[in-house]
Amino acid sequence: MKFKKVAALMMAAVMVASFAAACGKGEDAPVASGNEVVEDSEGGNAEPSEYPEDEIIDFTMFAAMPGSEINEGNEIQEIIAKKTGVRVKETWLTGQTAAEAVGTIIAGGDLPDFIDGGDGMMQLYENDCLVAWDEYIEKYPNIKEMYTDAEWEMFRQEDGHIYWANVFQNSYGENRATGHNDEAFWIQVKVLEWDNYPKIETMDQYFDLLERYYAANPTMEDGTEHIPYTILCEDWRYFCLENAGQFLAGYPNDGSVIVNKQTLKIEDYNTSDTTYKYFKKLNEEYQKGMIDKEFATQTYDEYIAKLSTGRVLGMVDQWWDFAFTVNDVFKQQGLDLKGANYVPLGLTIEPGMENRWHTYGDTVNNSSGVGVTTSCEDPDRAFQFLNDVLDQEIHDLRFWGVEGVDYLIDEEGLYYRTEEMRTKAADDAYQASHLCTYSYLPQWGGTSKDGKNAMQPQEQKSEFFVGLADPLKKCFEAYGADSYPDMIGSVVEENAVWFPMYSHSNAMTTDTPGGVAWTKMGEVKHEWLPKVVMDKDFDKTWDAYMVKYNECKPEDFLAEMQTELERRIAMAEEAAK
């Protein structure tokens, strides 16, 4: 959570509750939608009048991530439209990289109203495709509340303006996280159960367990062959192969580099002893037949399809990259009851080391986020909508659904779901026809403004446990864990002032020597690392890879990252004065 923000946020919650009470509406404050609030028969303020259909604006949005479009006439989308006066048609990334898709949009001149271009945001900025947020941050309180003034400054570009805001990793009030949304070595709970829930600390122990389980259980119950371990390498998602070395060495997810806390110097994990050992281990497992033979060429869709069958025993990935799709499939097919769900393990290269796979608290990633484009005919209304979707009533509709239909409220005011409600929420058809999360628009984690409930169901402690399949519950109990972060067991510490360094490298362009080196390094790693895993003569291939890698002049990249590290440290020291 943002500890520095808690006091201000809790005060804001009190103000909201007081304002709501003054309006005669209990704890439900009126939606900040700009439509008229009418006076009720007892002199208090009634619900805002709904927008008639002919006054509802239809906006468009493109998110440079795979996603599922919802149906026209989606029930909750229509409720939100009537309350806010805005309906958003979302489209998603298909068949291109984010940069390619954004480039195509820019070249065609057909910009949507909202856009999250992923690593293509700088393209949009450099081509003057985005509306500055500055005046709207001050105009709309829900938007301003997303970040502290210092954090908003992190989004400011070279021309002095802010053009986007990242919508994730932002907690209101108390952090309620039960999930590990970060990277990990994941393993199916049925594998751990088979070996009586052993203590697994190292990568060697992890692969030893997979080998033994696969030897004893080569197929699923229906005869489908297990895949002990697979790797996603497609496009930017090759982080599933590329960056485990930093974590195995005990470092947090700075993404592109290691920061040595003792020397305050940037280090290159790509050439470290730990990364060498990691890839040597992958090569050994590949030669043994433990790694998916198709890993180097499989697409993201093919990867997700494999995981969804329940046949993949383990992999490295970030939770958000697979779980929201795969877990719903498991639930629909009953595979969760057979132990197919994945749990994270905080592996290190040697036993007894501290691990930092889990990031506690919020992470400000200023390299991407949602923006309003210059093609939007009514930017004020667009920013008003970004403000409205953070209103508690609208936020509940997005993530909890409709009271009495998607969730219930107990005597103490706590939200909960029945098993039937949970099953429906995991159903693709129900999601398309009824649910509308607007998942790439501003949102909160943490605690609702009522001070009781979680902003999102997966963070409601009681809902989290009740919703677990029995094999998953047994696994948590066996390890004495109350949550996914407990399972991974990372060091609990506040993020360093420079964290995460990937927010700078993600925004690099080829305008600087460091940016040129970063681009070339990525191309070389994407080409050579699958070879390093597959070739029978590992050391010879590794040495050839290192030659190509060093030709990219990584020293230019590391120097730019060192300059950025020192800038962030100096800014923090200045702010502390």
Side-chain angles (χ1 to χ4, degrees):
M1 65 183 290
K2 289 181 166 51
F3 295 98
K4 58 196 173 189
K5 191 188 290 186
V6 172
L9 293 180
M10 295 308 293
M11 179 62 72
V14 171
M15 293 172 65
V16 169
S18 300
F19 177 62
C23 292
K25 289 171 46 58
E27 294 181 336
D28 292 324
V31 179
S33 59
N35 54 332
E36 181 181 1
V37 180
V38 298
E39 190 172 283
D40 66 23
S41 58
E42 297 181 359
N45 286 339
E47 291 285 349
S49 57
E50 292 187 344
Y51 282 89
E53 178 61 34
D54 62 358
E55 293 183 14
I56 294 175
I57 292 179
D58 285 290
F59 285 132
T60 56
M61 177 172 180
F62 172 72
M65 288 285 289
S68 299
E69 293 188 23
I70 59 178
N71 297 347
E72 186 175 347
N74 175 283
E75 292 168 345
I76 290 179
Q77 185 180 51
E78 290 305 308
I79 295 172
I80 293 174
K82 289 176 181 177
K83 289 180 177 293
T84 65
V86 171
R87 184 187 298 112
V88 179
K89 171 66 174 176
E90 299 166 301
T91 55
W92 304 89
L93 186 68
T94 55
Q96 291 179 299
T97 67
E100 288 170 346
V102 169
T104 299
I105 289 171
I106 293 171
D110 187 19
L111 296 168
D113 298 293
F114 297 108
I115 191 165
D116 186 327
D119 58 10
M121 291 305 291
M122 286 304 295
Q123 290 176 260
L124 292 160
Y125 165 67
E126 291 169 351
N127 284 276
D128 298 323
C129 295
L130 299 172
V131 175
W133 283 53
D134 305 64
E135 65 176 285
Y136 301 105
I137 292 172
E138 297 304 319
K139 182 174 182 178
Y140 291 112
N142 288 347
I143 292 177
K144 185 174 178 60
E145 191 177 33
M146 289 173 63
Y147 293 103
T148 65
D149 289 345
E151 289 167 340
W152 275 118
E153 283 302 310
M154 294 171 66
F155 288 92
R156 198 170 298 283
Q157 301 302 310
E158 289 185 359
D159 68 354
H161 296 291
I162 295 167
Y163 290 94
W164 60 79
N166 200 297
V167 305
F168 303 110
Q169 290 286 306
N170 228 345
S171 297
Y172 191 98
E174 179 189 356
N175 190 301
R176 292 286 185 91
T178 55
H180 172 69
N181 203 40
D182 303 333
E183 193 164 332
F185 277 88
W186 300 88
I187 193 167
Q188 288 186 323
V189 294
K190 67 185 182 187
V191 181
L192 296 171
E193 182 180 18
W194 174 81
D195 201 37
N196 297 312
Y197 305 106
K199 184 177 182 180
I200 305 292
E201 293 183 272
T202 68
M203 177 178 59
D204 287 344
Q205 293 168 346
Y206 174 84
F207 279 109
D208 175 69
L209 176 56
L210 291 183
E211 288 179 29
R212 290 187 288 112
Y213 181 88
Y214 181 60
N217 304 273
T219 66
M220 298 172 64
E221 291 179 2
D222 64 1
T224 302
E225 184 178 1
H226 278 125
I227 299 174
Y229 188 85
T230 194
I231 308 170
L232 180 59
C233 296
E234 186 185 35
D235 191 40
W236 56 272
R237 285 186 174 89
Y238 85 113
F239 65 78
C240 299
L241 168 65
E242 182 263 345
N243 69 354
Q246 65 181 318
F247 297 107
L248 290 169
Y251 289 93
N253 188 22
D254 273 303
S256 53
V257 292
I258 285 172
V259 179
N260 186 314
K261 286 188 175 182
Q262 281 68 50
T263 64
L264 296 181
K265 297 296 183 182
I266 292 291
E267 297 178 3
D268 188 355
Y269 66 78
N270 295 287
T271 58
S272 71
D273 288 343
T274 300
T275 294
Y276 171 84
K277 292 175 182 178
Y278 160 65
F279 280 106
K280 188 174 181 64
K281 184 65 178 178
L282 290 184
N283 183 276
E284 292 171 358
E285 295 300 322
Y286 185 84
Q287 306 310 326
K288 293 177 182 179
M290 292 295 106
I291 294 180
D292 183 2
K293 295 295 184 183
E294 301 173 342
F295 86 87
T297 57
Q298 68 182 341
T299 66
Y300 175 70
D301 289 343
E302 290 168 342
Y303 166 80
I304 290 296
K306 284 179 185 174
L307 264 58
S308 298
T309 64
R311 63 190 295 225
V312 177
L313 304 179
M315 71 288 179
V316 167
D317 202 348
Q318 301 222 13
W319 171 267
W320 51 263
D321 197 37
F322 73 92
F324 298 107
T325 300
V326 171
N327 285 353
D328 284 350
V329 176
F330 286 167
K331 193 172 185 66
Q332 291 298 310
Q333 296 184 357
L335 290 169
D336 58 336
L337 302 178
K338 298 179 180 180
N341 287 115
Y342 295 98
V343 290
L345 299 177
L347 305 185
T348 52
I349 199 67
E350 301 291 343
M353 294 174 60
E354 293 181 338
N355 89 75
R356 291 174 175 79
W357 288 87
H358 185 74
T359 301
Y360 291 92
D362 296 337
T363 300
V364 182
N365 179 9
N366 61 339
S367 63
S368 64
V370 65
V372 176
T373 77
T374 51
S375 290
C376 180
E377 295 182 359
D378 193 345
D380 188 74
R381 191 72 174 273
F383 281 100
Q384 178 182 301
F385 182 67
L386 295 179
N387 184 81
D388 291 350
V389 295
L390 288 169
D391 180 271
Q392 191 65 63
E393 180 187 6
I394 304 302
H395 203 278
D396 282 353
L397 281 166
R398 293 169 62 195
F399 295 102
W400 282 97
V402 176
E403 181 187 346
V405 176
D406 302 299
Y407 71 99
L408 301 171
I409 305 177
D410 70 14
E411 295 177 353
E412 297 180 354
L414 293 175
Y415 296 178
Y416 70 97
R417 286 173 168 170
T418 65
E419 184 58 28
E420 180 183 2
M421 289 173 176
R422 294 185 200 101
T423 300
K424 287 169 66 177
D427 181 71
D428 289 343
Y430 190 74
Q431 291 172 0
S433 65
H434 179 73
L435 301 178
C436 177
T437 62
Y438 284 138
S439 57
Y440 275 74
L441 291 181
Q443 59 188 264
W444 288 112
T447 314
S448 293
K449 295 179 181 180
D450 63 11
K452 300 177 181 179
N453 291 290
M455 283 285 191
Q456 301 192 26
Q458 68 270 21
E459 295 187 351
Q460 191 87 324
K461 203 81 170 185
S462 58
E463 187 64 24
F464 170 71
F465 279 108
V466 172
L468 297 180
D470 284 342
L472 197 51
K473 288 180 184 177
K474 287 173 61 179
C475 182
F476 277 110
E477 290 168 358
Y479 288 100
D482 291 331
S483 64
Y484 286 94
D486 285 350
M487 276 294 302
I488 205 164
S490 293
V491 175
V492 180
E493 60 187 11
E494 191 170 347
N495 295 332
V497 295
W498 58 77
F499 185 85
M501 292 303 295
Y502 67 73
S503 64
H504 182 74
S505 55
N506 283 0
M508 278 185 168
T509 69
T510 53
D511 290 339
T512 66
V516 171
W518 175 238
T519 299
K520 290 181 177 178
M521 288 159 59
E523 292 169 350
V524 166
K525 286 189 287 183
H526 200 276
E527 176 187 354
W528 276 85
L529 291 179
K531 296 178 184 178
V532 165
V533 174
M534 295 185 292
D535 286 0
K536 290 185 177 180
D537 191 336
F538 172 79
D539 284 317
K540 180 179 178 181
T541 307
W542 178 265
D543 290 343
Y545 160 55
M546 284 289 98
V547 170
K548 293 294 184 183
Y549 181 80
N550 288 320
E551 288 175 356
C552 299
K553 295 188 175 181
E555 63 273 14
D556 289 345
F557 166 70
L558 298 172
E560 182 169 331
M561 295 299 286
Q562 182 68 38
T563 299
E564 175 63 14
L565 172 66
E566 292 169 1
R567 185 189 72 83
R568 293 184 180 192
I569 293 173
M571 284 182 62
E573 291 174 347
E574 183 64 27
K577 290 180 180 179

